[in-house]
Structures are given as C-alpha cells and as structure tokens.
Amino acid sequence: MVVVIILYGFGNMGIAIAEKKKETEPEKPLLDDFSPNPLFSKEPDHLLPSPPSEGQILGKSQQDILEPELAKLNVEATALLAAQNIPGAFELWNRELRIRRYFGLSQEIAALNRVGLIAWNNSQRLYIKFITERLDQILQKLQTEKNNNLELWQFLGLAFKNVRAKNQALIVYQTLLETANKSQDILAEEQYFNEIAQIYMNWLDYPKASETYEKLLELQQEIRTVQGDRLPPQPQPATPENPNPTPPPSEVRSLQQLAFIYEQIGEYLKAISVRERLAGYYANQPNLFPIPEIKLAIGGNYEKLGQFEQAGLTYQEAYGIATSIQQFDNASEALGRLGKLYRSQNQIKTALDIYQAQVLVNQQAYNYYGMMNAYDQIGDIYLSQKAYQSAIAAFQQGLALAQQLKYREDYFVKKIDIVNRQMNQ
C-alpha cells in the first residue's frame, strides 16, 4: 500500500511539472482581422537570424543554402494542412514568405501566388487578406519606381487574379495592356484584353465584359487581317466562294463568350447577331457539327424576343442540318422545341405531326427516353382534343418504354387512368 501511495505521489508531481511547463510556454494566440499582418513582421527567424536590410537581396550562395530549408517548410506546411492544422500550416508558410522577400521580387511573388492559391482553395479569407496586402505593397513599389520588368508585372497580375483581388488585377493588366499598345505588340495586347475580360466574367460584371470582348474581337480581326497566315493557327483565307473564313480558335472563343454575355444581360438581338456570325463561319467548312447547337440557341433567343415565326424557322434549320449530319439528339431537340412552339400557338395538327416525327428521329438513335417523352406529348395533345382512344394508345406506348427504362412507370399508368375516367364520364 505504501509503494502505491509513493508512486501515486510521483505521478502527481509529473503532472504538476508538465502543467507548470505549459504555463511558462503559452500557445501563440490565433490570428484574426485585428492582428498585424505576419508577412510584415521583422521578427528574426532561426533560418535567417540576421536578415539583410529592407530592399536588399541575399547572395546566391546564401539563397542556395536556404532553398532546401524553405522547401522543407513548404512540405511540412502541406502536411499540417492535410491534417487540418490550418493555423500551424500557415504559420510555416508565413515564415517561408517572410524569408522569400530576400530572394527578390520574382521569387517572392511566385511564392505569394502559390500560397495565395492554397489559401483560396481552402477558403482561408484571413490569409488571403494578408497575402493581398503584401502584393499591394509590391504593386505600389513597382508603380513608384516605374518598373518596366514585364515578367514581374505578369507574375503580379496572375497572383492578384488567383487571390481574386479584382481591382488590383485590373490595374496590373491595364498597365500591361498600355505597355503592349505603346510598343505595338499586338499579340500581347490580345493576351491582356483576354485577361481583363476573364476577370470581369469571374465577377459577373457582364456589361464591362461585353465591352472588353468587343474590343478584343476588333483586335483579333485586325491580327487576322494584318498578319494572316504568319500567325498560328492559320485562318482560312476569304474567297468569293468562302466569304466567312474560319477565324482562329481564340476569336471563336471570344464570339462564344460574347454571345453568352449578351444573353445574360438580355441583349438577345446582339446574341443572335454574334451566333449567326459563328454559324456563317462554320457553314463554309467541311465540319458542320457545331451549327445545330448554335441554331438552337438562336431559336431560343428569338423566342425570348417573342419572334415565334423566326424561332420556328431557325429550329427547322437546326433540324435540317442535324439530320443531314446524323446528329439525332440535336434533331430531336429541335423538333421538341418546334412542337412546343406550335402547340403554344394553338397549331395543334402541326404540333402533332412534329412530335410523331420526333418519335421516328429517336427511333433512329435508339433513344428510348426521347421516344417516351414524345409519346407523352402526343398523348397530351390527343387528350386535349378528346381523342381518347388515340390518347390511350400513345400513353401505352410511353408506358411500354417507361417499363423498359424502369422510369416514370407510375406516371403513365396515372395518365391512362385519367383518360379512362374522362371516357366514362
């Protein structure tokens, strides 16, 4: 019994010593919005006890010694992040970033970009704020010194873009755009216009995005006209037989984006104009594959404008081209939209013919789901006309397909029941 008491006493003493040690080494408080930016700290680091003065760069030999240590900090921070120790991970990354500023702006911006992207992907708003503040300092430094190192500006623009600092990213890319314009570097202008447009798109600023894409398209057409086949990829030259040559892929992407933007802001006539231009490019090429979807989108724009006749004609175009290239899904989609359009205009017989044609198109594609939906529409039309036997026949066809698909079986059973009840009233 005495031995047990003695051991118990020693155990308590050990706990007391551990607690005393814990008291003498308090944990660092967690950072918050009111904390000073750790990236601005002048606190010495045991990896670099005597850092150079502000603005000075370490010699190459010192950088070579520190590089493996900084790589190790990054590996350890990544492991802590994986273990959900976010404060611990970013404490190590903050150490790395503080030391990186003595490696020169190029390396520091690259490190800020890397860690900033990690912070964004892990929703770490506070660390994004700290990194953005340091990037702001660098931007002001470049502006004050009128630094014309394009590589630094490009790195900085990418870093601001990755931490979603919209205004700063725009300042950087506008500066780069002006520089490219002064030096008449037309390809660089295209790149920076595209960056600016994407930033506006990311922030859903569609009016500004449309303005930028309009300018970008003008520039891309100028590139195609002035430099022609000297630029990869080579555009098709315009000829009397081919007045709408295919533009380079970058120009096609700009047109697609512009059509999307116009649609988002309700500028449907402009969206139609851009899409007709795209369709015109493709119409003169051997591959007509993109045209049916473009025509479907144009038809949808006409519907939103209330121009139903024009919408119907466009859907017919989409159907004709889609069937000619055996694009049965888009052919079925075009017929489905046509049927709905004619039905809304109370042109019942025409709508019925279209849905029956849709069944045949889907049969060719072995699209049982499409056939089932077409029979559903046919059954509804016959039911609205009180043609009960024809309605039951259509719904039974739909039920047979639903049973094969094991989908919506109860729906068609109920439809048949509704028809039977109406017949018996």
Side-chain angles (χ1 to χ4, degrees):
M1 178 66 70
V2 174
V3 173
V4 171
I5 291 169
I6 290 170
L7 289 173
Y8 180 75
F10 274 116
N12 279 347
M13 188 184 295
I15 293 168
I17 291 168
E19 287 178 350
K20 184 72 176 174
K21 187 176 180 184
K22 192 174 181 182
E23 286 174 15
T24 57
E25 295 178 6
E27 289 185 6
K28 289 184 180 179
L30 292 175
L31 297 171
D32 58 29
D33 283 320
F34 301 102
S35 304
N37 190 328
L39 300 184
F40 300 161
S41 172
K42 302 297 182 184
E43 179 185 344
D45 192 288
H46 71 82
L47 290 177
L48 191 63
S50 302
S53 59
E54 188 68 29
Q56 288 188 320
I57 308 300
L58 291 170
K60 187 175 186 310
S61 59
Q62 286 178 289
Q63 290 186 26
D64 289 343
I65 292 168
L66 282 169
E67 187 61 52
E69 297 300 326
L70 296 184
K72 194 186 297 181
L73 283 180
N74 181 47
V75 170
E76 290 172 3
T78 303
L80 288 173
L81 182 68
Q84 299 299 309
N85 184 351
I86 291 170
F90 279 94
E91 185 178 349
L92 294 181
W93 273 315
N94 289 339
R95 284 182 60 199
E96 182 202 349
L97 293 175
R98 283 197 296 268
I99 295 172
R100 284 284 179 196
R101 66 193 299 172
Y102 302 112
F103 280 56
L105 286 178
S106 178
Q107 287 207 45
E108 184 188 0
I109 294 169
L112 287 163
N113 177 47
R114 168 170 49 83
V115 180
L117 198 52
I118 292 168
W120 175 264
N121 289 336
N122 288 275
S123 305
Q124 294 302 308
R125 182 189 59 80
L126 183 62
Y127 296 105
I128 292 169
K129 171 179 171 285
F130 292 149
I131 288 168
T132 304
E133 286 174 354
R134 175 56 187 155
L135 289 169
D136 272 331
Q137 275 191 343
I138 295 171
L139 174 59
Q140 290 167 24
K141 177 181 172 67
L142 294 183
Q143 288 174 320
T144 303
E145 296 175 355
K146 296 185 178 177
N147 190 306
N148 59 2
N149 184 328
L150 293 182
E151 189 178 63
L152 282 181
W153 283 93
Q154 288 167 347
F155 286 162
L156 192 59
L158 179 62
F160 276 129
K161 196 167 71 166
N162 282 337
V163 295
R164 300 336 189 250
K166 175 191 175 186
N167 293 333
Q168 295 95 320
L170 286 172
I171 289 169
V172 172
Y173 285 116
Q174 287 286 1
T175 302
L176 285 165
L177 180 61
E178 288 166 14
T179 303
N181 182 264
K182 285 175 186 174
S183 62
Q184 297 186 331
D185 186 344
I186 199 165
L187 292 181
E189 281 188 79
E190 180 187 23
Q191 177 190 341
Y192 302 136
F193 263 127
N194 197 46
E195 293 286 0
I196 292 166
Q198 285 180 23
I199 291 166
Y200 285 130
M201 285 289 286
N202 290 340
W203 286 85
L204 307 182
D205 189 345
Y206 294 129
K208 287 286 186 184
S210 67
E211 287 176 25
T212 309
Y213 274 117
E214 284 163 3
K215 291 175 184 175
L216 176 58
L217 269 170
E218 287 178 15
L219 184 69
Q220 287 170 333
Q221 288 160 19
E222 184 184 339
I223 290 171
R224 189 151 53 94
T225 302
V226 172
Q227 298 195 7
D229 60 2
R230 285 180 289 161
L231 280 177
Q234 296 181 7
Q236 296 290 327
T239 65
E241 295 78 26
N242 182 14
N244 295 305
T246 301
S250 57
E251 194 174 330
V252 170
R253 282 194 297 273
S254 297
L255 288 166
Q256 290 168 338
Q257 289 283 61
L258 198 51
F260 170 81
I261 292 165
Y262 285 145
E263 199 165 65
Q264 297 306 303
I265 60 178
E267 295 276 4
Y268 298 118
L269 281 175
K270 287 184 177 180
I272 289 166
S273 175
V274 171
R275 286 188 168 124
E276 288 288 11
R277 188 166 151 193
L278 272 172
Y281 286 136
Y282 288 117
N284 292 291
Q285 305 308 310
N287 179 15
L288 304 178
F289 191 83
I291 296 179
E293 282 193 9
I294 295 171
K295 290 291 184 181
L296 286 170
I298 292 170
N301 292 153
Y302 276 125
E303 278 201 71
K304 286 171 182 172
L305 288 166
Q307 297 183 22
F308 300 118
E309 184 178 349
Q310 194 61 47
L313 291 171
T314 308
Y315 289 142
Q316 287 175 36
E317 282 185 74
Y319 167 73
I321 296 167
T323 51
S324 73
I325 57 176
Q326 297 189 318
Q327 209 177 79
F328 296 119
D329 285 346
N330 279 327
S332 175
E333 177 69 18
L335 288 173
R337 293 192 190 189
L338 264 175
K340 184 179 176 183
L341 191 62
Y342 280 116
R343 197 172 172 189
S344 71
Q345 301 299 302
N346 207 32
Q347 297 184 42
I348 301 303
K349 185 179 183 311
T350 305
L352 190 59
D353 291 341
I354 287 168
Y355 284 122
Q356 287 168 339
Q358 190 183 31
V359 170
L360 298 176
V361 167
N362 284 309
Q363 278 178 342
Q364 286 182 277
Y366 300 99
N367 182 352
Y368 298 139
Y369 181 81
M371 290 166 63
M372 179 187 73
N373 287 335
Y375 278 123
D376 184 25
Q377 295 295 329
I378 292 167
D380 272 342
I381 289 172
Y382 279 130
L383 180 58
S384 69
Q385 299 299 299
K386 298 185 179 180
Y388 297 122
Q389 293 298 336
S390 295
I392 287 176
F395 287 134
Q396 284 175 338
Q397 292 272 25
L399 176 60
L401 290 162
Q403 287 168 338
Q404 287 186 59
L405 295 168
K406 297 189 180 346
Y407 177 68
R408 296 184 77 195
E409 297 169 66
D410 291 345
Y411 170 83
F412 282 101
V413 169
K414 286 176 184 175
K415 282 283 191 179
I416 292 167
D417 183 54
I418 288 168
V419 178
N420 282 323
R421 276 191 279 112
Q422 289 193 19
M423 283 174 66
N424 294 328
Q425 283 178 356

